[in-house]
Amino acid sequence: MTGEDTTAPHQVRVFLVDDHALFRTGVRAELAAAEQVEVIGEAGSVAEAVAGIAHFKPEVVLLDVHMPDGGGAEVLRQVRGQQPDVVFLALSVSDAAEDVIAVIRGGARGYVTKTISGRELADAIVRVRAGDAVFSPRLAGFVLDAFSEGPNSAPVGDPELDLLTPREREVLRLLARGYAYKEIASELFISVKTVETHVSSVLRKTQLSNRYELSRWASDRRLV
């Protein structure tokens, strides 16, 4: 015997949740080169995610914020009570304050945007598994504001805003920024018809009549 320690380093078991299959493939490829993590499963919807997390029992879940059937907040709601040891790290194209705050309040340990590199993502996964809170640059400020007692702190809740789904909020945010329906569809990888459906739903829920009133409503709630 040589006395050398040949024990392989522990790999963090990761489950990937995102409704875009091409993106999941890219993340898997990026993380395949990282010795410290292993992607053990994936899902493209809330229902698949809840079932897959229960089956594979990952240590860390990479969680998309916006999905057609409820998004990351719904996955958190259904899973955290049943599997409190699972750590969630949001991985999203959105850097909107309300998205960051919603998933952190829901129980996620960190939030990084999809501009992150594969090496940085692997490091973030290891860090949240170890107990750290990890955020992409500037996003941490949103969380500090949300949980502070100061004059700029984010509101605990908005009954009207809470009526909107995460996807409806994203459509509303882009609409308020002046995006055309076609541009919103391209940005969110959905059809123009789906955008129109979301806008109609937002108008009905907010009891407003046009996009100009919606823009003002969104601005009042710091969504823009």
Side-chain angles (χ1 to χ4, degrees), residues 71-191:
E74 181 61 21
V75 176
L76 282 161
R77 188 188 69 79
Q78 294 192 38
V79 172
R80 289 198 72 235
Q82 301 297 323
Q83 301 182 68
D85 292 335
V86 177
V87 180
F88 290 85
L89 174 62
L91 176 62
S92 176
V93 68
S94 171
D95 62 357
E98 71 273 11
D99 291 334
V100 179
I101 293 166
V103 295
I104 297 304
R105 283 197 171 123
R109 190 65 188 171
Y111 193 116
V112 294
T113 58
K114 291 180 177 180
T115 57
I116 194 171
S117 70
R119 178 176 296 181
E120 290 170 336
L121 180 58
D123 179 65
I125 291 168
V126 172
R127 288 173 59 195
V128 295
R129 179 65 185 89
D132 290 345
V134 179
F135 298 92
S136 288
R138 97 181 183 87
L139 300 188
F142 296 153
V143 180
L144 291 174
D145 286 345
F147 292 93
S148 72
E149 300 292 336
N152 293 323
S153 61
V156 172
D158 183 323
E160 290 183 296
L161 190 58
D162 289 343
L163 292 173
L164 306 184
T165 67
R167 179 64 89 182
E168 287 170 350
R169 293 189 192 191
E170 185 68 6
V171 170
L172 174 58
R173 183 170 67 90
L174 295 175
L175 190 72
R177 287 182 174 180
Y179 282 56
Y181 284 10
K182 185 176 181 180
E183 293 171 323
I184 296 174
S186 176
E187 182 77 13
L188 300 180
F189 302 100
I190 57 179
S191 69

Side-chain angles (χ1 to χ4, degrees), residues 202-217:
V202 172
L203 285 169
R204 175 176 51 80
K205 291 179 179 180
T206 58
Q207 298 184 355
L208 299 174
S209 58
N210 56 58
R211 68 177 295 163
Y212 303 104
E213 291 182 355
L214 279 178
S215 295
R216 186 167 59 251
W217 188 88

